[in-house]
Amino acid sequence: MSDLEPTEGRIPVGFPARRQAEPRRHGPRSGSGRSAARIAILALLLPLLLLEPHSAPAAAASGSCYLIGAPVQTALGITDLSDVDPATNESTIGSIGGVNLNSAALQPSTGTLFVARSGNELATVDTGTAAPNTVGSFGSQPGPLGARNFNNVVALGFDPTDGSLFGVQREPGTPDLLFQVDPATGGSIPDAFGPGAGYVEIISDMSAQTDFYGVVVDPGGQMWAMGNDGISQWKLHSIDKATGDALDVLNSSEAIDLSFDSAGNLWGLSSGGNLFEVNGAEPARPVDDLIPYSAVACVLSTNQAPVFDTDLPDRADTEGTLISLAAGASDPDFDALLYSADGLPPGLSIDPDSGHISGTISFAAAVGSPYSTVITVTDDGTPNLSATDTFTWAVADANGPPVLDPVGDVSGDEGTLIGFTATGSDPDSPADGMTFSLSGEPAGAVI
């Protein structure tokens, strides 16, 4: 487990008075426009920034995370966060090939896995086969230090509040650079931080912390990254997305990448396979199939709508037909499903658990034909999502046999006057006329 401060490793809501920022050993930054006053203001705001996402205890770990490592060639794997046993908690999906992948991030809106490939281009990786696909080169942008090529990108992270994608360019011996990426083209975005500013420097209040790994953004919009002094000191930082100003929050063990899971737990991964919860007390999950590791991206549980197994076509039946029709669906998230139907011909119903439509079409159904039938299936995910299947159901007229109301046994002595009324109904609409007849009656009986 990581050597976290304070105890239990939780990101503190209120922590002891902070030390003064150390003098920057890397010298002044021309055109940065930042001041010690801004750092001081951010220091005062930090407890408030931490309060919303981390004031309550983190939920128990669950779900899964994609892992990238290179035991021989770069490979993609997946781990089950609920399993702490390294013998069972990880499986390899496939080899990505002999390419260098430094970071990974799942796009919240699509679930697409994006990676920084060979340091200079954006790529996607198929999470079913591990096949990579190049999106495009990061390119270069002007900024406070002049034009910079983004050819050593070591971190990627999506902002779930607006879908923007951030990257971190490694600048050996000087502060790393924060820039934005267009997920559709892979190119860096010009003027992302203001006119002529295609990047900003990530400046820590701990001047030795110049290398940053695993940039992530929490659901409240706060950016985090793991800082390193280039030697052995690892510190979690909060980062201002607009300026790159960074404040160290707590000490940590090595984490070459970070990722939030669906419950809001922040996980760090070391190159040696230590997967640990940064902001909670969950035990570490050792993983060992893909050492040395380079990236982790936890799956966010965004609910997906159910999908009908088949698109039911328009149909035509006759009154009195016995119906057995499957209208089942499946759910990508394996949620429980509930079925309902509007516009079924009279005499039919749908099973709310299976979607099976059954019954006998009423002999009064033709008068209302055709029917616009809508089958709806709804999952129990959050939020509830539904799918509908609409088709036309025509019903042709058929003559239904009349129904005689039950007549009980009748008895009497010879010569006794017996009288009773036989009644019946016709199921058709409009009802047909009926005539009654009598057979097997005693002598003298008429109807």
Side-chain angles (χ1 to χ4, degrees):
M1 190 62 185
S2 60
D3 179 21
L4 298 172
E5 297 177 0
T7 57
E8 295 190 355
R10 298 198 177 276
I11 295 177
V13 174
F15 46 86
R18 303 184 62 82
R19 65 199 176 286
Q20 296 296 317
E22 298 177 9
R24 292 181 182 150
R25 289 193 279 265
H26 50 77
R29 297 168 297 147
S30 64
S32 68
R34 298 179 189 141
S35 65
R38 177 173 291 175
I39 295 292
I41 291 171
L42 284 173
L44 291 173
L45 289 176
L46 184 58
L48 298 179
L49 293 173
L50 293 172
L51 179 60
E52 180 178 351
H54 301 295
S55 58
S62 62
S64 57
C65 298
Y66 293 108
L67 305 172
I68 293 176
V72 179
Q73 287 189 320
T74 305
L76 177 69
I78 191 168
T79 185
D80 180 0
L81 288 176
S82 64
D83 187 351
V84 299
D85 185 354
T88 58
N89 66 3
E90 185 182 13
S91 60
T92 300
I93 296 172
S95 174
I96 302 173
V99 293
N100 182 24
L101 303 181
N102 297 323
S103 183
L106 283 165
Q107 189 172 39
S109 60
T110 65
T112 302
L113 181 63
F114 285 84
V115 296
R117 182 178 183 180
S118 300
N120 63 357
E121 62 185 16
L122 186 70
T124 61
V125 174
D126 188 314
T127 55
T129 65
N133 180 62
T134 300
V135 178
S137 172
F138 295 121
S140 63
Q141 290 295 331
L145 303 178
R148 287 292 186 270
N149 291 316
F150 302 129
N151 55 12
N152 191 16
V153 176
V154 295
L156 291 174
F158 279 97
D159 185 342
T161 65
D162 60 12
S164 56
L165 176 59
F166 289 87
V168 173
Q169 162 75 8
R170 175 60 36 78
E171 294 286 296
T174 62
D176 288 346
L177 308 180
L178 181 69
F179 67 102
Q180 287 194 32
V181 184
D182 183 348
T185 66
S188 53
I189 298 176
D191 304 323
F193 303 90
Y199 66 85
V200 291
E201 293 179 273
I202 305 176
I203 302 294
S204 171
D205 60 340
M206 296 287 291
S207 60
Q209 297 275 305
T210 60
D211 296 345
F212 286 87
Y213 298 80
V215 61
V216 291
V217 181
D218 66 29
Q222 176 61 50
M223 178 177 285
W224 307 89
M226 189 65 73
N228 180 255
D229 61 358
I231 306 174
S232 61
Q233 189 178 58
W234 296 84
K235 291 179 176 289
L236 181 69
H237 285 68
S238 66
I239 297 178
D240 187 317
K241 293 182 294 185
T243 67
D245 289 330
L247 292 171
D248 72 289
V249 177
L250 53 80
N251 294 333
S252 176
S253 57
E254 177 199 357
I256 45 82
D257 205 6
L258 299 173
S259 185
F260 280 105
D261 66 16
S262 296
N265 305 304
L266 179 59
W267 293 88
L269 175 67
S270 74
S271 60
N274 181 40
L275 183 62
F276 64 96
E277 189 184 5
V278 178
N279 65 330
E282 284 281 335
R285 271 76 168 154
V287 288
D288 56 14
D289 289 355
L290 304 179
I291 294 173
Y293 290 89
S294 60
V296 59
C298 296
V299 178
L300 300 178
S301 58
T302 53
N303 190 31
Q304 302 178 73
V307 179
F308 280 100
D309 298 335
T310 59
D311 184 15
L312 295 177
D314 295 342
R315 60 181 297 140
D317 291 286
T318 303
E319 290 177 335
T321 302
L322 180 65
I323 298 296
S324 179
L325 177 64
S330 60
D331 189 86
D333 309 305
F334 304 100
D335 295 328
L337 300 177
L338 182 67
Y339 297 85
S340 62
D342 292 315
L344 287 175
L348 304 183
S349 62
I350 188 169
D351 187 317
D353 297 320
S354 68
H356 188 258
I357 299 170
S358 61
T360 300
I361 298 178
S362 166
F363 282 98
V367 69
S369 179
Y371 295 87
S372 179
T373 304
V374 180
I375 312 300
T376 301
V377 58
T378 304
D379 68 18
D380 66 350
T382 302
N384 297 142
L385 295 178
S386 300
T388 58
D389 189 3
T390 302
F391 61 96
T392 299
W393 201 326
V395 178
D397 185 41
N399 187 27
V403 178
L404 182 67
D405 297 331
V407 177
D409 294 340
V410 178
S411 62
D413 296 331
E414 291 180 336
T416 302
L417 180 63
I418 300 294
F420 61 88
T421 301
T423 60
S425 60
D426 187 83
D428 297 303
S429 180
D432 298 326
M434 298 181 295
T435 59
F436 294 83
S437 61
L438 190 64
S439 62
E441 72 278 9
V446 295
I447 188 170

